[in-house]
Amino acid sequence: MKVIEVKDLRKRYRDHLAVDDVSFTVDEGEIFGVLGPNGAGKTTTVECVAGLRVPDSGTVSVLGGLTGTALKEQLGIQLQSSTLPEKIKVREALDLYASFYRTPADWGELLERVGLSAKRDTPYGKLSGGQQQRLSIALALIGRPRVAILDELTTGLDPQARRDTWELIEQVRDSGVTILLVTHFMEEAERLCDRLALFDAGRVVAVDSPSGLIARVDGRQIIRFRLTGPLDDTVLRDLPEVATVSRSGEQVTVTGTGNLLLAIATGLSGAGVTPIDLRVERTTLDDAFLGLTGKKISS
């Protein structure tokens, strides 16, 4: 069953076209990722899905076309800018949000589910970043939603808190909630999402599973190394085996096909340059995004 259907969605802010002809569907029970760099139109799109913004054109259907109160009761939302007053206690926040619904979840059980039972009397401002995000998830689930929208949920968290949050998201999906997850973290998307919509400059570049997206560029090899001296990148770009050349500090990343390693070694030798720390890597979702858009996502 398609629980979300977006077709030809467009949204403009004055001179900026934030969302340009976006279409995708979300199946019941999946974690569907909206992946792309900051400013790609991800948040505007999901705000249109949630009914928080009105699109200029196109259609959005959630759970067969629910609107108004009926939609709000079936939709749990945690937006990127969500925050609470510092002095409100965890139990007070849950009690407040529960009052918005006719048949809310038992927030005591929900607290235990997200691992915050011991923090029920703790003010929001005294929670760690990871605990605040866990509370955000609990608040998104208090109305027993069929669909949860989670926008940039793990931004700013340390690696352990991020992984703990990932485990919680997987538990939420396993309980039967369909999740629309907005992220710009490649590892997060590859770990959690059943399918992804890759966003770039307000448009959807591709929709597929993480493995399906990787397979689209899997014929390419990826070789990374550092250089012992200066090099004009055209030395590498002019090689017929090379598809892309990019740099991050001293590191050079080359993608291509055929006998790429030999071609690079020969090209560098001819330029009088020796590579160090050279390694051949498997194709990742980050590489797929680069191959499909010509850009990298900076986390």
Side-chain angles (χ1 to χ4, degrees):
M1 174 183 174
K2 306 295 183 186
V3 298
I4 298 175
E5 297 178 85
V6 177
K7 184 172 178 58
D8 303 330
L9 185 70
R10 290 171 65 90
K11 181 67 178 177
R12 179 183 292 275
Y13 301 112
R14 295 186 180 179
D15 297 330
H16 175 57
L17 184 58
V19 179
D20 184 11
D21 216 21
V22 163
S23 299
F24 62 86
T25 62
V26 179
D27 295 330
E28 185 174 16
E30 75 175 340
I31 299 178
F32 186 91
V34 176
L35 175 68
N38 293 327
K42 306 186 304 296
T43 294
T44 295
T45 297
V46 298
E47 287 178 347
C48 289
V49 171
L52 300 176
R53 294 190 185 276
V54 179
D56 297 330
S57 62
T59 60
V60 176
S61 176
V62 181
L63 294 168
L66 293 182
T67 59
T69 302
L71 175 59
K72 291 177 182 178
E73 290 184 347
Q74 297 295 326
L75 200 61
I77 307 173
Q78 184 275 328
L79 295 178
Q80 186 175 1
S81 57
S82 297
T83 188
L84 294 169
E86 288 198 355
K87 293 185 178 180
I88 192 171
K89 295 179 180 178
V90 169
R91 58 177 173 79
E92 293 172 336
L94 285 160
D95 199 37
L96 173 64
Y97 274 60
S99 71
F100 301 155
Y101 300 93
R102 290 179 296 177
T103 56
D106 182 320
W107 60 255
E109 293 180 3
L110 204 51
L111 265 188
E112 187 167 347
R113 183 176 171 187
V114 300
L116 288 178
S117 293
K119 299 292 182 180
R120 58 186 293 141
D121 292 313
T122 302
Y124 179 78
K126 297 293 185 181
L127 298 175
S128 69
Q131 290 166 344
Q132 289 179 353
Q133 294 298 57
R134 285 176 168 266
L135 178 58
S136 292
I137 294 174
L139 294 175
L141 298 177
I142 195 70
R144 303 178 188 269
R146 290 176 58 191
V147 179
I149 295 176
L150 307 177
D151 188 0
E152 298 287 4
L153 191 66
T154 61
T155 298
L157 298 187
D158 63 67
Q160 185 57 55
R162 182 173 293 161
R163 282 167 174 75
D164 290 344
T165 304
W166 291 350
E167 290 180 4
L168 179 56
I169 293 171
E170 289 172 328
Q171 292 169 15
V172 171
R173 188 271 304 277
D174 292 344
S175 72
V177 179
T178 301
I179 296 175
L180 183 59
L181 178 70
V182 182
T183 185
H184 67 273
F185 290 115
M186 291 295 186
E187 185 182 0
E188 180 167 286
E190 196 165 355
R191 156 80 182 264
L192 294 177
C193 297
D194 299 297
R195 290 189 303 129
L196 291 163
L198 296 189
F199 272 63
D200 183 43
R203 299 182 66 89
V204 171
V205 178
V207 177
D208 208 334
S209 65
S211 60
L213 291 169
I214 290 170
R216 298 190 188 194
V217 296
D218 203 24
R220 296 185 181 183
Q221 303 163 46
I222 305 150
I223 298 177
R224 305 184 197 274
F225 53 88
R226 292 188 297 120
L227 296 171
T228 57
L231 177 73
D232 185 339
D233 285 355
T234 58
V235 171
L236 297 173
R237 288 198 177 98
D238 288 346
L239 297 171
E241 293 86 355
V242 170
T244 66
V245 178
S246 61
R247 291 184 183 244
S248 178
E250 295 181 350
Q251 182 174 264
V252 179
T253 301
V254 180
T255 67
T257 56
N259 200 338
L260 183 62
L261 184 59
L262 177 60
I264 290 173
T266 303
L268 293 178
S269 176
V273 178
T274 303
I276 55 176
D277 296 335
L278 186 147
R279 60 187 186 275
V280 180
E281 299 182 359
R282 75 175 184 91
T283 307
T284 65
L285 191 56
D286 200 7
D287 301 312
F289 189 86
L290 175 62
L292 291 166
T293 68
K295 303 175 184 177
K296 291 182 69 69
I297 294 183
S298 55
S299 299

